[in-house]
Amino acid sequence: MSPDEDLEARLRAMGNDPDEFPPHSADLVRRSIARGRRMRLVRATQVAAATAAFALISAGGALMATDALGGDGGPARTRPGAPAPSTERPPPRKPASVSGEEMTRTLKSLLPPGGTVSALSGRGSRSNGPLVSPTARLTYATSHGSAVIDISVTRLEPDIPVGQQVGQAGCLPVEVRPYDRCTTEKLPDGAVLNTTRSFNHPNSDTGQRRWYVVLTTSDGVQLTLQQLGGGERTPTGVADPPLSLAQLTSIVRSPAWAGAIAAAPVPRGAPSTGAPAGTKRVSGARMTWVLKAHLPRGGTVSDLTSGDGLVQLVHDDGHGKSMVEADAQYERTVLLAGHMNCAGVSGECEATTLPDGTKVKKVRGPSEKGGSTVVWMVDTLRPDGRRVVAQEVNSYAPAGPVTRPAPVLSMDELLAVALDERFFTG
């Protein structure tokens, strides 16, 4: 073989080397990105998009950056005579954590000077057991009044758009909270800030003031900071809280919470690989489509809120508004064992089992939120663990004023909603 032919054969062999290696595990890359976000280190690796793989997490949790092709278009090679590369792994990185004392110390340090702080308490995350969301709570008093102030730091579920999460953020419809003054602001870094002036009682513009701000970061961590004017939930507190919404916003946006944000745990049951049991959901779009199909024609729909597994709306057929909602879930057989009966249920209750084994519970009773409204509910549990709960109230909100004698759907129509297979099928 000539020197040119030998060189050409070597080049072909080098070009084929990468094909002999399987692609990176999709799960490993996904977990790398998630871990990187939590540790705030992913920003340092994003620039390596085409020529370097993203950071990979070793079994010990250490973050390593590596060239996707071994640095020269093929697997890494060792020069003859060079020392063999070390196989020793670096010490495992400890999970981020924050103590209750750190939480209270941070909250106290961010309060305006001149006030008195008392009744401090806090809860930290734990690295030697199940992680919990960090919180802090204290009483802050000035010559202008006092308030209980608390903050919690939670991480929303991964792989679900923030807008579909169940959390504290977002302005509630005026029908539900008629006296709230709420604003929503999208911040330059992608975070969303909600600020609200509210009252403890949703249908009253008197009584104890509750002002709160919710910051939802772009990577799904939610900081909720609230203050209750006058102290602990007391109906006699009618003064404004001592801190303005601007001051609350400054506190919740402080970089001092970086450690608590990093330590916010992923919710239990959040999917880590693929779609294991307990993570199947019905899309908000399907929930909305199916529920609307059961509403009387000619009416109007407002205040629609939907997310995976849940839809809630207000329907007006010209004879008064009625709030209607549906909730669809998978794999509830074990969780609801012994609960699909009328034991301990207030109001009128009827529990039956259909010929196909589906358990049905029908309930008519007063709203748990108080007031004069009535709630009609149908709870269904199929033999395979699929569950649908359909309920309605004869008002635009559970604690709102009565707007019609009875909810818009009869109990039979509500049962038809709960038994509709289209929630789970195409």
Side-chain angles (χ1 to χ4, degrees):
M1 179 181 294
S2 69
D4 290 341
E5 292 173 333
D6 179 69
L7 175 61
E8 182 178 355
R10 289 174 179 270
L11 290 174
R12 283 199 303 268
M14 291 173 65
N16 290 333
D17 278 345
D19 296 334
E20 302 297 323
F21 292 83
H24 294 304
S25 163
D27 171 59
L28 192 58
V29 173
R30 193 198 67 76
R31 288 187 288 114
S32 300
I33 295 174
R35 177 67 173 175
R37 283 174 178 167
R38 289 196 296 272
M39 299 301 296
R40 294 298 191 272
L41 295 178
V42 72
R43 298 183 187 278
T45 65
Q46 287 177 334
V47 295
T51 60
F54 277 99
L56 303 180
I57 300 177
S58 68
L63 196 64
M64 301 185 297
T66 180
D67 190 309
L69 298 177
D72 62 351
R77 295 175 173 83
T78 303
R79 299 189 310 274
S86 172
T87 59
E88 182 179 354
R89 290 177 176 171
R93 186 189 302 272
K94 292 183 178 180
S97 63
V98 64
S99 68
E101 290 76 12
E102 290 174 307
M103 289 292 296
T104 55
R105 185 165 59 247
T106 300
L107 179 57
K108 181 180 179 181
S109 70
L110 296 174
L111 295 173
T116 302
V117 176
S118 61
L120 286 80
S121 63
R123 182 182 69 188
S125 62
R126 296 191 301 268
S127 59
N128 60 345
L131 292 177
V132 296
S133 297
T135 63
R137 183 181 181 89
L138 53 79
T139 296
Y140 178 73
T142 69
S143 58
H144 302 291
S146 64
V148 167
I149 302 174
D150 63 63
I151 187 169
S152 64
V153 183
T154 59
R155 187 177 301 277
L156 302 178
E157 290 193 47
D159 305 324
I160 300 179
V162 170
Q164 297 181 10
Q165 297 273 3
V166 178
Q168 300 293 325
C171 295
L172 296 173
V174 65
E175 288 88 356
V176 178
R177 303 286 302 198
Y179 301 106
D180 279 11
R181 284 183 287 170
C182 178
T183 64
T184 300
E185 179 184 1
K186 185 70 175 290
L187 303 179
D189 61 358
V192 176
L193 177 71
N194 286 102
T195 63
T196 305
R197 296 174 187 260
S198 184
F199 298 86
N200 265 343
H201 300 288
N203 293 301
S204 173
D205 61 350
T206 61
Q208 187 178 31
R209 271 72 166 169
R210 175 177 175 253
W211 294 1
Y212 62 97
V213 297
V214 181
L215 179 70
T216 305
T217 67
S218 59
D219 54 353
V221 176
Q222 202 166 81
L223 294 86
T224 303
L225 176 68
Q226 72 164 354
Q227 62 172 340
L228 297 170
E232 190 59 53
R233 297 181 182 271
T234 167
T236 59
V238 295
D240 285 344
L243 300 185
S244 66
L245 286 178
Q247 289 173 311
L248 292 178
T249 298
S250 177
I251 292 173
V252 83
R253 294 187 64 184
S254 171
W257 298 113
I261 291 174
V266 175
R268 295 178 182 176
S272 58
T273 60
T279 63
K280 293 189 293 183
R281 300 178 177 91
V282 182
S283 72
R286 176 167 293 278
M287 295 294 302
T288 302
W289 173 70
V290 176
L291 180 58
K292 280 187 173 182
H294 289 272
L295 298 176
R297 294 184 178 181
T300 60
V301 171
S302 63
D303 302 301
L304 172 65
T305 302
S306 67
D308 287 352
L310 178 67
V311 59
Q312 183 183 87
L313 53 82
V314 174
H315 183 270
D316 189 350
D317 61 355
H319 302 286
K321 294 183 177 181
S322 184
M323 190 185 79
V324 188
E325 69 177 52
D327 185 0
Q329 305 163 355
Y330 286 92
E331 302 181 10
R332 296 289 154 168
T333 302
V334 175
L335 184 65
L336 295 178
H339 293 279
M340 291 300 294
N341 54 54
C342 293
V345 176
S346 60
E348 301 177 23
C349 180
E350 176 188 355
T352 59
T353 301
L354 302 181
D356 66 353
T358 298
K359 298 181 182 298
V360 176
K361 182 165 68 174
K362 301 178 182 178
V363 179
R364 290 186 180 94
S367 171
E368 295 180 352
K369 303 294 185 181
S372 303
T373 57
V374 294
V375 176
W376 292 4
M377 182 195 73
V378 175
D379 192 350
T380 60
L381 179 64
R382 292 165 170 81
D384 60 4
R386 293 176 297 160
R387 180 197 192 192
V388 175
V389 182
Q391 65 177 357
E392 55 183 344
V393 62
N394 60 336
S395 176
Y396 49 70
V402 173
T403 55
R404 51 187 300 131
V408 64
L409 300 177
S410 68
M411 288 297 287
D412 287 341
E413 290 171 326
L414 203 60
L415 175 62
V417 174
L419 293 178
D420 196 326
E421 285 286 342
R422 292 177 295 178
F423 282 118
F424 304 103
T425 64

